[in-house]
Amino acid sequence: MTRTSGSAGGAGRITLSANLLLVGLIFNGLGFAIGGDLLDGAGAAFVFVMAGWVLGLCLHAFGPLLVSGNPGLPGTGGLATGGLATGVLAIDPARAPNPVATMLLPVVFTILVGLGFPGGVSEAEAAGPSRGRRSAVAAAGPAMSLLFLILLVGLYALTSDESGTLRAVLAVSVLFQGTALVLGLMPVPGLDGYAILRPWLPGDWSWTDRVARHSALVLLGLFLLSGAFTRPVFRVSLRLTAGLGIDLADVITGYRLIRLW
């Protein structure tokens, strides 16, 4: 896949990294094995769901780079393998921008809490002075997550009723993506929803940047300590999942299956 970059570097080439291909291979391989009843244990189900979760995080991180039209966009770090010099943009989970916030924390929090945590927010300020462009760059991450969510729903719809385990792990994968979307679009500093709104806010809101650095820890604390916060988010995510045609019985089965402790 190729595209023309809006930067002075000219044409930009989008590539898939070996790391991403490996995660995709694990996701697809386990999917076929689970669907064919070659594997049906909790370990295989857990790895399948986490591999799909990492794929979704990669797409979430890649969306803003794609929309920005600039492979060397400042603040995007390792996803730009060659930057403006080579115009090569690789989708690589091991070289994501701010890998702790983009990959590590969402994976760890999702395992600990059992609900999908959104990936890191793009630095939309680097997109330029246009408020519309900065909002579009910030919205690209959730948009890519939504596309991946639709893909998972499509896979679920294509799975036969006889493949109960595969339907269950796909169902819980949809739930995780749905929860990440619900959380990520909240207008809270450090989340995509606020990054979309921020260019349109009057006055100086730079203090929110300091708040954003700790938003992930605040969210984790709310999830672990406050059922009053967790239950509404979970209900909205379940309604979204059910509205997409996912059987909630499959969600429950998949959720129990991937819990290894």
Side-chain angles (χ1 to χ4, degrees):
M1 178 179 180
T2 61
R3 70 187 297 271
T4 301
S5 169
S7 68
R13 180 166 55 87
I14 299 173
T15 66
L16 301 178
S17 70
N19 291 321
L20 185 72
L21 291 174
L22 177 60
V23 175
L25 180 63
I26 293 172
F27 180 77
N28 286 283
L30 285 176
F32 279 112
I34 293 172
D37 292 328
L38 300 176
L39 294 171
D40 60 0
F46 175 83
V47 174
F48 173 84
V49 171
M50 287 298 106
W53 180 240
V54 171
L55 288 176
L57 291 174
C58 287
L59 291 173
H60 181 276
F62 180 69
L65 300 182
L66 187 64
V67 171
S68 71
N70 186 354
L73 187 65
T76 54
L79 274 180
T81 59
L84 293 174
T86 64
V88 176
L89 183 62
I91 312 176
D92 190 342
R95 304 178 66 185
N98 191 359
V100 174
T102 304
M103 292 290 165
L104 181 60
L105 290 181
V107 170
V108 172
F109 289 175
T110 298
I111 293 173
L112 289 177
V113 178
L115 290 175
F117 266 71
V121 179
S122 65
E123 296 187 21
E125 295 82 355
S130 169
R131 291 185 294 180
R133 185 173 178 80
R134 288 164 60 187
S135 289
V137 170
M144 292 295 279
S145 295
L146 178 60
L147 288 176
F148 188 64
L149 171 64
I150 293 172
L151 173 63
L152 291 172
V153 172
L155 291 175
Y156 176 88
L158 293 173
T159 304
S160 66
D161 293 337
E162 289 75 21
S163 302
T165 302
L166 181 57
R167 288 175 64 85
V169 291
L170 285 171
V172 79
S173 296
V174 171
L175 175 65
F176 282 0
Q177 291 294 328
T179 307
L181 274 177
V182 170
L183 278 172
L185 290 175
M186 286 183 175
V188 175
L191 298 179
D192 289 306
Y194 182 79
I196 295 170
L197 294 176
R198 184 183 171 189
W200 306 93
L201 296 176
D204 182 13
W205 289 74
S206 59
W207 61 270
T208 61
D209 294 332
R210 295 188 294 273
V211 176
R213 296 171 189 169
H214 308 290
S215 61
L217 294 177
V218 172
L219 280 175
L220 179 62
L222 287 173
F223 264 103
L224 293 178
L225 301 176
S226 175
F229 178 78
T230 305
R231 285 191 293 271
V233 172
F234 191 64
R235 288 195 197 101
V236 172
S237 302
L238 281 177
R239 288 176 182 173
L240 173 62
T241 302
L244 291 170
I246 307 298
D247 189 339
L248 293 184
D250 287 331
V251 174
I252 295 172
T253 300
Y255 195 83
R256 290 174 176 170
L257 188 60
I258 65 170
R259 300 295 285 181
L260 302 179
W261 54 90

